[in-house]
Amino acid sequence: MLWILGAGLIVFILLSLKYCWWRPTVGLEHPRILMYHMISGSLSKQKHRGLRVSPEMFERQVAWLKASNWTFIKASELFTEKAQGDKRVAITFDDGYEDNYSQALPILKKYDACATLYLVTDRHERDWSVNKNAKHNSGDLMREAKLSDKQVAEMLASGVFELGGHTLTHCHLPSVDMATKTFEINECKKVLNATFATQVTSFAYPFGHYSDEDIKLCQAADFNTAVTTDEGIDTQPNAFRLKRVKVSGKDNFFAFKTRIRIGFRGHI
Ligand SMILES: [Zn+2]
């Protein structure tokens, strides 16, 4: 009898550490910025599983946000009137994978939602994981289909998506010289604005890595906001160090709802 109680207690403690359910909900007046990469199913042993949210799960998440009265905003609206009030959520996608067009766009349209796409300008035939660590040269990210300019143009024309900067080559900013990082930050904005006849105002640091110098460069390049991969929900936001709520392909739906509530999930 005692061992059943003991086992039950261990399971309870493990699940509690996993979901951090006891943590209080972050005030609903603070917008949630969700971070996605790919909307695609994954094989159990496939790499980058955390980056792949299945289309079914993504639809369930967007449908739940809508039904729970969350208002969808874009990153460029974070410090505007549209971000005022309770339950504001900004969906963001990093890099520019083709499934953002084939899978995410129809779902976002269906629920009258919107999103910001942080698009790598020079994104074809690249495995940018090597920019952070030369050993990461599996080529997995290179084989992943990326968005064509035509698809991006259609996503913008739909009104569902806006674009944000993510450098030219998914550059690891802290490890390159000043001239390179200046060029990567300034040029990506110019190229996106010119190619898609749009006004890009938000930036995402590749790999979520940045220095004070990089923040200054983004400000000088006239970006208004920059998002990181630091997990959480800002209660006193710094516009150039914005936290995001990571949506992981490894999570179940309860974990997603926990993340929306407190900004993250335990890591066991
Ligand atoms: Zn990225």
Side-chain angles (χ1 to χ4, degrees), residues 37 94-95 120 128 166 170 205-207:
H37 285 79
D94 284 12
D95 302 341
V120 176
W128 42 69
H166 201 37
H170 209 277
Y205 305 106
F207 309 103

Side-chain angles (χ1 to χ4, degrees), residues 10 19 27 51 56 71 94 101 104 127 142 163 165 178 196 229:
I10 288 170
Y19 293 113
L51 300 183
E56 296 74 28
T71 300
D94 284 12
Y101 170 83
D127 187 339
M142 185 161 75
L163 287 185
M178 190 67 175
F196 300 105
T229 56

Side-chain angles (χ1 to χ4, degrees), residues 226-238:
V227 296
T228 67
T229 56
D230 301 339
E231 288 187 62
I233 300 158
D234 286 306
T235 51
Q236 293 181 313
N238 173 328

Side-chain angles (χ1 to χ4, degrees), residues 210-230:
Y210 59 97
S211 63
D212 289 346
E213 211 169 61
D214 303 324
I215 292 177
K216 285 193 192 118
L217 286 174
C218 287
Q219 289 167 335
D222 246 350
F223 285 107
N224 299 333
T225 58
V227 296
T228 67
T229 56
D230 301 339

